[in-house]
Amino acid sequence: MTDNPEKVICGQCDLVLEVPPREGHLVGYCPRCRNAVHHYRVRPSRVSLCYALAAIFFLAATDSLPFMAISAAGIEQGMQVLDYTTVLGAQDMWAASFVIFLFMQFLPLMTLLTIIAGDTGKILKKRFFFMPFLLKILHFNVEWSMVEVFMVGVLVSLIKLISMVNIEYGSGFWTFFAFAIFYLLAVSRFSEEEMWNYFAPRDKKHLKRSPDAGIRAEPQNFCSCTCCGEILDMENETECPRCHTGIRDRSAQSLHKTLAFTLAAIVMYIPANIYPMMVTTYLGSDLESTVIDGVITLWELGSYFVAAVILIASIFIPIIKILLLLYLCWSVKKLRRTRNRVFLTVIYRIVEFIGKWSMVDVFVVAIMATIVRIQNLMTIYAGSAMISFAAVVILTMIAARSFDPRLLWGYGKDRAEHSHGEDEDDKVTPDKTPPEEQENGQMPAPSAG
């Protein structure tokens, strides 16, 4: 170990940790809450740059090439992947069109441009003045990009269409899947920490004192920057010296914000299930179907897998998210009685992970409404519930991001109000960390990831 080892603060349990030197592509986990706090990568700039360039090439190809075509009764109808913007707009669904374009097109494009600019500057040893700004919004772009969700939506739409019409796959269909794969690879290999260290190097002199490893940062009046992860001294600093983000207590009003967005999601979930999600016009007659109607129809047609996917993504996941968010808020209020905080932290990670997947049904409706426009035979329109359902997904995602998981470990005023003394889970005990790591707060040996 070095005399002045690098330290990080776990964003989920507030534990100060020392980062051990390692080589290879590995992930370092917090010994207390098992949160991934540090990533070790081999030549991340070159690898992620190659993936990002490939992804942006396939994205351009996807937007310009035919996506798919359907035919029925001798009538053929084709589409390109961006046709949903005009089709949904013509159906007075501009809000849904904008949301889909934002999540599926604009934010992924901004993510790829940030990766390309950062990796290029790092390789060519150029420090672009605009990179700190792009890095500040990168985390938001990655969290809200839904390329993989749209990919699943395409597959579900295909299974639904196979029983209705004949399908022909265009070149844009295959380039889209190549784009999705390379996009996910580029994001997973990109080292945001390395970019911050290069374009805005750390000035360790700004810290007049150093936090002790192995205990929480809050009692020592330290915190980590919510943007770049820099360790900040709350006694002597008001903003991050690296990214100039102001120091703020994100735990303040965290429960109130989470409850407010969760209750708003509950309110929007009612019309999302009452009003039609999709309207099918067949030979002049209209058939309205809600989310649950679509599941029942698919089940009766024998498409059990697709019915199960829609049921889980559109019915179970929103309900589970809402219940788990309410349970987490209740757990913080009953913190003194809580012992298994690792389990609660895992629940929080599950809520964060499943947040965007409920958008599958919205993407399915958008694709179906765009491609199924066979005049005088069959046309599909997006129903009014589409907006409400998208609002439920967005509100629950915001609610999950408003919740501060450190509260589960006694962070802030809730700790003083609901607990007396230190609980067992506030210490790095022998059953959680090997003896040599308890003394210095060092992360356990990273596991391959």
Side-chain angles (χ1 to χ4, degrees):
M1 239 174 70
T2 61
D3 295 334
N4 189 20
E6 181 184 354
K7 294 178 181 178
V8 295
I9 298 176
C10 178
Q12 296 196 353
C13 72
D14 199 44
L15 188 68
V16 181
L17 299 164
E18 292 180 357
V19 181
R22 292 289 189 274
E23 294 183 357
H25 189 74
L26 306 167
V27 180
Y29 293 92
C30 173
R32 182 162 69 161
C33 68
R34 302 303 298 165
N35 176 42
V37 296
H38 187 78
H39 293 267
Y40 302 81
R41 294 182 173 92
V42 179
R43 298 187 300 275
S45 297
R46 297 181 183 275
V47 175
S48 60
L49 177 60
C50 293
Y51 287 142
L53 288 173
I56 210 163
F57 168 78
F58 284 116
L59 176 60
T62 300
D63 292 342
S64 57
L65 295 173
F67 191 69
M68 71 170 70
I70 62 172
S71 59
I75 304 174
E76 185 172 331
Q77 174 67 45
M79 68 168 285
Q80 289 184 311
V81 74
L82 290 179
D83 285 349
Y84 65 82
T85 55
T86 55
V87 173
L88 292 179
Q91 299 177 13
D92 294 327
M93 289 287 178
W94 287 108
S97 174
F98 171 77
V99 167
I100 296 173
F101 180 82
L102 181 69
F103 293 160
M104 188 268 163
Q105 191 81 19
F106 181 74
L107 294 183
L109 178 61
M110 289 298 299
T111 300
L112 291 174
L113 292 177
T114 301
I115 293 174
I116 292 172
D119 290 338
T120 302
K122 180 71 166 55
I123 293 172
L124 298 180
K125 301 187 184 305
K126 301 287 186 180
R127 285 189 169 90
F128 303 129
F129 69 93
F130 52 82
M131 275 308 301
F133 171 74
L134 292 180
L135 290 173
K136 289 180 75 170
I137 63 174
L138 175 65
H139 193 60
F140 172 84
N141 294 340
V142 173
E143 280 188 339
W144 289 88
S145 296
M146 300 187 183
V147 174
E148 66 275 32
V149 183
F150 191 86
M151 181 170 60
V152 175
V154 171
L155 295 176
V156 173
S157 301
L158 289 177
I159 298 176
K160 296 180 74 171
L161 287 170
I162 285 175
S163 61
M164 302 164 56
V165 294
N166 297 320
I167 303 175
E168 295 181 6
Y169 306 104
S171 302
F173 177 85
W174 305 110
T175 57
F176 168 73
F177 281 89
F179 154 67
I181 293 171
F182 281 111
Y183 170 81
L184 296 175
L185 288 172
V187 171
S188 65
R189 297 297 182 178
F190 183 69
S191 176
E192 188 175 350
E193 181 182 4
E194 180 180 314
M195 292 298 109
W196 275 115
N197 291 336
Y198 179 75
F199 289 100
R202 287 182 173 178
D203 181 12
K204 294 186 178 181
K205 295 181 180 179
H206 79 91
L207 282 179
K208 298 180 181 180
R209 57 195 185 95
S210 178
D212 295 327
I215 57 177
R216 294 191 298 120
E218 182 203 10
Q220 306 179 67
N221 277 327
F222 284 95
C223 68
S224 60
C225 177
T226 56
C227 179
C228 68
E230 178 74 352
I231 294 180
L232 305 175
D233 185 350
M234 293 188 289
E235 289 183 355
N236 303 306
E237 296 173 310
T238 58
E239 69 172 25
C240 176
R242 181 156 69 164
C243 66
H244 304 291
T245 300
I247 296 177
R248 60 183 180 88
D249 184 6
R250 63 190 177 97
S251 68
Q253 305 299 319
S254 172
L255 292 183
H256 297 88
K257 292 177 183 178
T258 302
L259 285 172
F261 286 117
T262 304
L263 292 176
I266 293 174
V267 172
M268 295 302 298
Y269 190 67
I270 297 173
N273 285 273
I274 293 178
Y275 292 104
M277 191 73 171
M278 190 168 61
V279 180
T280 303
T281 301
Y282 183 71
L283 296 177
S285 61
D286 293 341
L287 176 63
E288 298 181 346
S289 59
T290 61
V291 175
I292 194 65
D293 289 337
V295 173
I296 294 173
T297 301
L298 287 169
W299 189 270
E300 291 176 346
L301 291 174
S303 300
Y304 304 119
F305 176 74
V306 180
V309 170
I310 297 297
L311 181 66
I312 293 172
S314 303
I315 303 296
F316 289 163
I317 287 182
I319 294 176
I320 291 172
K321 282 192 299 184
I322 290 171
L323 293 178
L324 290 180
L325 284 169
L326 294 175
Y327 176 68
L328 289 173
C329 293
W330 178 84
S331 298
V332 171
K333 286 298 182 181
K334 301 297 181 183
L335 193 58
R336 185 172 55 182
R337 304 176 187 176
T338 302
R339 287 295 178 265
N340 198 351
R341 295 177 184 176
V342 175
F343 173 72
L344 293 175
T345 306
V346 171
I347 289 179
Y348 170 75
R349 292 174 198 151
I350 292 174
V351 172
E352 266 201 321
F353 174 76
I354 67 175
K356 63 175 69 174
W357 288 97
S358 298
M359 195 66 79
V360 167
D361 210 25
V362 175
F363 291 152
V364 169
V365 173
I367 296 169
M368 297 283 285
T370 303
I371 188 65
V372 184
R373 291 179 293 121
I374 305 176
Q375 295 181 354
N376 301 324
L377 180 62
M378 182 170 58
T379 305
I380 291 179
Y381 300 93
S384 57
M386 183 181 186
I387 301 294
S388 301
F389 199 87
V392 172
V393 179
I394 294 171
L395 287 170
T396 52
M397 290 179 67
I398 296 175
R401 282 153 180 76
S402 299
F403 183 82
D404 188 349
R406 297 177 302 172
L407 295 174
L408 298 171
W409 297 85
Y411 186 90
K413 294 182 179 179
D414 295 276
R415 167 70 182 197
E417 295 172 0
H418 299 285
S419 136
H420 303 282
E422 256 192 56
D423 291 336
E424 291 299 321
D425 287 335
D426 286 330
K427 303 174 183 177
V428 184
T429 52
D431 61 328
K432 296 182 177 65
T433 312
E436 65 273 13
E437 293 161 4
Q438 298 168 33
E439 296 176 0
N440 53 33
Q442 190 178 20
M443 290 190 302
S447 58

